[in-house]
Amino acid sequence: MRIAIVTDSAAAIAPDYAQAAEEQGGFAIVPMPVRINDGSGDRELLGLSADEIDRDITIAHVMGHTVGTSSPAPGSFAQVYTQLADEGYEHIISIHLSGALSGTVESARAAARLVSVPVSVVDSRTVAGAYGHIVLALHELAAQEKYTPEQLVDCARAMVEQTTIYFMIPTLDALRRGGRVSPALAMVGQMFRIRPIGTVTEEGTLTYVDRPRTTARAKERLVELSRQASADHASLGSFAPELLDTLVPHGRVVAIHHSATEREAYELQEALGAIAREAMFSALPPVLSAHAGLGALAVVVY
């Protein structure tokens, strides 16, 4: 069966990886809308290049403007699904940002009811490369045309359970402006110079695991936590379907993300050593950098 894979831009897949998958076929990324409010109304970042969007978001953060995001409309998904069906794909697996953080997965489910091709919609229950690396793995397996949609969906869910993401947010200001944290919490964070380290729970919600009080200590904790996760995953081994045995070895860092801090991300990769040598390296997409703000770093361990 010819199976196509669809995701959204919050998967934080590096442009060269995405281009290679698109050229191979049976792959699509649906962009998530981003808008900026400078006090005179919302301006959607439409028709711009990736560099131009990053520039506008960076300027907005520096100026203290609100950067907001929203889910793609069901029609956007339906258009992609229909195009893939027209190309001869018989089934689509659509895997998306945690439903506890965004309505994207519900939008995909609504679109699935509008098209003739069967669509399996998967809530990743996580963010960024924590499901971006799963999307790429599924596409690689789907291209072999020897697995059923059910096998690939089971594979995706097993990989979610075996993936951990840690992220450092240097300031809570962007989250405050986007309504993700209360002004009181943001003010306390600023007063005590808190640089929170967060992760994603099994239910797909964000939670803090540590609150270092300097950026340097936050980076150290990010490395410590990632190394511990690597050791834990490596010792557990795989409990997933056999087809996963051909993919990334357990305990490896599969993605490192940054928000306008490329140099610091390379330093983070160097500090992590051998476990991060083959990690996908990418800037956070606009839909995530809008909330994380400048200076954010993230590590994904499989």
Side-chain angles (χ1 to χ4, degrees), residues 175-186:
L175 289 171
R176 174 187 59 79
R177 290 194 296 270
R180 301 284 173 159
V181 299
S182 68
L185 178 58

Side-chain angles (χ1 to χ4, degrees), residues 207-227:
T207 187
Y208 296 126
V209 295
D210 203 352
R211 293 172 172 81
R213 292 184 61 177
T214 68
T215 299
R217 180 55 185 153
K219 292 176 183 177
E220 290 175 1
R221 284 295 288 145
L222 192 58
V223 170
E224 292 168 1
L225 289 165
S226 299
R227 284 178 175 166

Side-chain angles (χ1 to χ4, degrees), residues 90-248:
E90 304 162 78
H91 197 107
I92 295 168
I93 298 175
S94 202
I95 178 167
H96 299 290
L97 174 65
S98 171
L101 302 174
S102 168
T104 301
V105 72
E106 290 303 324
S107 184
R109 286 171 179 153
R113 296 190 288 268
L114 301 175
V115 297
S116 58
V117 62
V119 181
S120 299
V121 179
V122 179
D123 181 349
S124 74
R125 305 198 312 277
T126 190
V127 300
Y131 72 99
H133 88 103
I134 297 171
V135 168
L136 293 172
L138 288 187
H139 182 249
E140 181 181 328
L141 293 171
Q144 298 176 29
E145 297 187 13
K146 62 181 182 181
Y147 300 111
T148 66
E150 292 76 18
Q151 285 177 301
L152 294 181
V153 168
D154 287 345
C155 176
R157 289 175 174 152
M159 292 185 77
V160 165
E161 294 177 9
Q162 299 173 76
T163 301
T164 303
I165 182 170
Y166 289 112
F167 52 87
M168 182 201 82
I169 301 176
T171 173
L172 296 175
D173 284 348
L175 289 171
R176 174 187 59 79
R177 290 194 296 270
R180 301 284 173 159
V181 299
S182 68
L185 178 58
M187 183 177 68
V188 170
Q190 188 68 21
M191 286 174 58
F192 291 98
R193 299 183 65 192
I194 293 173
R195 305 292 185 260
I197 303 291
T199 189
V200 181
T201 67
E202 293 181 358
E203 293 74 30
T205 59
L206 302 180
T207 187
Y208 296 126
V209 295
D210 203 352
R211 293 172 172 81
R213 292 184 61 177
T214 68
T215 299
R217 180 55 185 153
K219 292 176 183 177
E220 290 175 1
R221 284 295 288 145
L222 192 58
V223 170
E224 292 168 1
L225 289 165
S226 299
R227 284 178 175 166
Q228 184 59 56
S230 171
D232 291 344
H233 283 299
S235 65
L236 285 173
S238 176
F239 57 87
E242 288 185 4
L243 64 162
L244 279 182
D245 293 339
T246 63
L247 300 177
V248 181

Side-chain angles (χ1 to χ4, degrees), residues 222-280:
L222 192 58
V223 170
E224 292 168 1
L225 289 165
S226 299
R227 284 178 175 166
Q228 184 59 56
S230 171
D232 291 344
H233 283 299
S235 65
L236 285 173
S238 176
F239 57 87
E242 288 185 4
L243 64 162
L244 279 182
D245 293 339
T246 63
L247 300 177
V248 181
H250 279 238
R252 299 292 178 86
V253 173
V254 292
I256 296 175
H257 304 306
H258 66 90
S259 179
T261 50
E262 186 174 20
R263 179 181 58 81
E264 293 180 13
Y266 279 119
E267 291 173 354
L268 176 62
Q269 185 179 33
E270 184 176 349
L272 287 165
I275 61 171
R277 197 163 291 154
E278 299 178 7
M280 176 177 66

